[in-house]
């Protein structure tokens, strides 16, 4: 079926009152980003819905991008035609033949904003329904809960027909919820937390800690590639790689074993907070889930949170592991997250970390370190990479390795 455009419905944006225009503008910008590979497509945002004019672009390909844009409640592939009864009948028949399956029920639903059109809504419903019964076998009408609704909208400029109502990603357009940094480890939880932050409209910069030579470039590229998957929901995400080996070596040499993990996390949070401030963010997100590991007990969270007053938001804090895994599978990060590349959180992990660390003890041990100098040197070594949807880094590295053999 050759569709001429896609009609997008906004959903939650309808509650935004006077700010609605700004939200719609941001959504249009995000749609433009994800469809940048289709220069022929035109985006026309309106107050009640958005029209995406395909101009020959294949709907199936555009659909794959559009279904991951937050802020879209539902959308329909649509055909725009002249307002004649013959054109409406022929197009309605073509749509039914393309989408109707044996055993389905259907109804015709007409809306008319052009009140000078020759037929009113009830007349059109009846006439098009009768026409379809004359052209197709085994049709059955169901008015309350039909399997298929043939929608006809008669507007001032044209008639618009559609027979599919597709569910969008929901949520709010990315960028309408402010800016923040996300602490991305490369495991299962933090990519899911990133997805949930993006869904509430928050524009995030990824902060990833790596520790060469203890961690490999593959581990770093894995985190970048996870960001590429999540960029499908944002259009583009900046990836900030923070060297962390010197800090870990210093902590390992000077801090009692039970507090290694706590002090490392306090440094990570300080670094994330400074990067947040430099980039104009208002919050820090991470993938902590209450009680999952030693660093995620409430006592540990309190001891680690002691280093900042910035809001630290934990979207998966109350989710079970099985729930997190199910969502990771849904958004496409799970298979990559379980790749067994070491990360900086595991290489210096103590065998018996404190699960109930004391804030005063953490401060006391930390006073042995030149905290400011360690943080300044780590910040001086950061690398920022803009990452776009489905950017790949592990495959590129594999090709480099093969070329060296």
């Amino acid at each position: 079926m050759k569709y001429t455009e896609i009609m997008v419905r906004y959903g939650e944006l309808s509650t935004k009152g006077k700010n609605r225009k700004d939200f719609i503008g941001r959504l249009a910008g995000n749609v433009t980003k994800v469809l940048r590979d289709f220069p022929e497509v035109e985006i026309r945002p309106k107050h009640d819905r958005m029209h995406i004019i395909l101009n020959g672009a294949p709907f199936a390909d555009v659909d794959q991008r559009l279904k991951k844009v937050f802020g879209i409640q539902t959308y329909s592939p649509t055909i725009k035609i002249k307002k004649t009864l013959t054109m409406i009948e022929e197009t309605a028949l073509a749509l039914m033949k393309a989408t109707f399956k044996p055993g389905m029920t259907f109804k015709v639903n007409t809306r008319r904003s052009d009140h000078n059109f020759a037929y009113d809504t009830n007349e059109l419903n009846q006439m098009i329904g009768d026409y379809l019964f004359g052209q197709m076998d085994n049709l059955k009408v169901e008015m309350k809960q039909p399997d298929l609704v043939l929608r006809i909208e008669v507007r001032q400029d044209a008639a618009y027909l559609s027979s599919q109502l597709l569910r969008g990603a929901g949520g709010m357009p990315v960028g309408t919820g402010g800016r923040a940094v996300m602490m991305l480890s490369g495991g299962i939880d933090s990519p899911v937390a990133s997805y949930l932050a993006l869904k509430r409209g928050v524009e995030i910069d990824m902060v990833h800690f790596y520790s060469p030579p203890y961690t490999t470039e593959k581990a770093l590229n894995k985190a970048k590639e996870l960001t590429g998957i999540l960029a499908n929901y944002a259009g583009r995400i900046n990836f900030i790689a923070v060297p962390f080996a010197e800090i870990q070596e210093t902590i390992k040499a000077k801090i009692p074993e039970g507090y290694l993990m706590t002090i490392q996390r306090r440094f990570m949070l300080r670094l994330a907070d400074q990067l947040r401030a430099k980039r104009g963010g208002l919050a820090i997100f991470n993938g902590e889930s209450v009680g999952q590991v030693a660093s995620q007990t409430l006592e540990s969270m309190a001891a680690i949170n002691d280093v900042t007053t910035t809001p630290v938001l934990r979207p998966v804090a109350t989710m079970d592991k099985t729930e997190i895994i199910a969502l990771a599978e849904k958004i496409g990060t799970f298979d990559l997250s379980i790749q067994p590349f070491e990360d900086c959180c595991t290489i210096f992990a103590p065998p018996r970390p404190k699960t109930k660390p004391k804030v005063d003890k953490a401060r006391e041990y930390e006073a042995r370190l030149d905290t400011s100098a360690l943080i300044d040197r780590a910040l001086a070594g950061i690398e920022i990479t803009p990452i776009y949807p489905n950017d790949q880094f592990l495959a590129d590295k594999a090709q480099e390795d093969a070329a060296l053999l």
Side-chain angles (χ1 to χ4, degrees), residues 137-153:
D137 297 327
N138 302 317
L139 292 181
K140 183 179 179 181
V141 171
E142 167 59 52
M143 300 307 292
K144 292 185 176 179
Q145 292 184 322
D147 300 312
L148 186 152
V149 178
L150 178 65
R151 291 178 171 81
I152 303 171
E153 294 191 21

Side-chain angles (χ1 to χ4, degrees), residues 184-186 208-210 215-229 239 241 336 339 341-342 383 385 387 391-401:
L184 181 78
S185 69
H208 177 75
F209 299 95
Y210 72 114
T215 58
T216 65
E217 191 171 351
K218 285 182 179 178
L220 178 63
N221 287 337
K222 171 187 168 183
K224 288 182 176 177
E225 195 152 313
L226 281 168
T227 303
I229 296 173
F239 181 92
L336 184 54
Q339 292 293 314
F341 302 136
E342 74 293 335
E383 293 183 4
T385 307
I387 295 181
D391 275 358
Q392 294 191 344
F393 299 88
L394 287 170
D396 292 346
K397 181 59 182 171
Q399 290 174 0
E400 289 178 17
D401 292 345

Side-chain angles (χ1 to χ4, degrees), residues 82-340:
K82 292 181 178 178
K83 292 184 293 184
T84 68
L85 181 59
T86 300
M87 287 291 293
I88 293 174
E89 287 176 337
E90 291 177 353
T91 306
L93 179 61
L95 276 171
M96 284 291 286
K97 287 184 175 180
T99 52
F100 187 83
K101 307 295 181 192
M104 278 184 168
T105 58
F106 87 105
K107 77 172 182 180
V108 180
N109 185 337
T110 300
R111 298 176 64 184
R112 189 186 65 155
S113 58
D114 178 7
H115 295 291
N116 293 319
F117 190 64
Y119 311 101
D120 65 23
T121 56
N122 291 329
E123 288 174 323
L124 266 179
N125 287 342
Q126 186 67 50
M127 294 167 72
I128 299 303
D130 290 344
Y131 179 79
L132 293 174
F133 272 107
Q135 300 294 322
M136 296 177 67
D137 297 327
N138 302 317
L139 292 181
K140 183 179 179 181
V141 171
E142 167 59 52
M143 300 307 292
K144 292 185 176 179
Q145 292 184 322
D147 300 312
L148 186 152
V149 178
L150 178 65
R151 291 178 171 81
I152 303 171
E153 294 191 21
V154 181
R155 299 187 172 195
Q156 296 297 330
D157 61 332
Y160 296 81
L161 275 70
S162 62
S163 60
Q164 297 182 67
L165 185 67
L166 305 176
R167 186 158 295 281
M172 302 298 295
V174 174
T176 59
R179 290 179 62 90
V181 295
M182 174 77 212
M183 299 171 71
L184 181 78
S185 69
I188 298 171
D189 301 345
S190 55
V192 172
S194 304
Y195 166 84
L196 293 173
L198 292 168
K199 187 173 183 179
R200 294 315 303 162
V202 179
E203 185 175 6
I204 54 174
D205 291 323
M206 295 298 193
V207 176
H208 177 75
F209 299 95
Y210 72 114
S211 299
Y214 307 105
T215 58
T216 65
E217 191 171 351
K218 285 182 179 178
L220 178 63
N221 287 337
K222 171 187 168 183
K224 288 182 176 177
E225 195 152 313
L226 281 168
T227 303
I229 296 173
L230 292 162
N232 282 290
Y233 302 93
R236 189 188 84 165
I237 297 176
N238 289 316
F239 181 92
I240 305 172
V242 184
F244 201 59
E246 183 192 4
I247 292 176
Q248 288 187 296
E249 289 169 341
T250 306
I251 292 172
K252 174 78 172 174
K254 298 185 177 181
I255 301 296
E257 182 182 284
Y259 274 80
L260 291 181
M261 178 270 299
T262 304
I263 304 302
Q264 285 182 41
R265 298 282 180 173
R266 284 166 64 95
F267 269 86
M268 287 180 176
L269 193 54
R270 281 194 183 90
L271 286 161
D273 202 20
Q274 293 209 21
L275 289 167
R276 172 206 60 77
K278 289 177 184 293
R279 302 185 67 79
L282 296 173
I284 300 167
F285 282 74
N286 67 32
E288 291 177 336
S289 176
V290 176
Q292 188 173 133
V293 295
S295 66
Q296 297 172 14
T297 63
L298 291 182
E299 292 84 354
S300 284
M301 289 181 182
I304 295 164
N305 242 126
D306 173 57
V307 302
T308 180
T309 57
T310 299
V312 179
L313 306 178
R314 301 169 171 88
V316 301
T318 61
M319 294 172 67
D320 293 339
K321 195 68 178 181
T322 52
E323 295 173 314
I324 297 172
I325 288 173
L327 190 46
E329 290 173 334
K330 176 186 172 184
I331 65 177
T333 57
F334 179 74
D335 289 342
L336 184 54
S337 287
I338 61 174
Q339 292 293 314

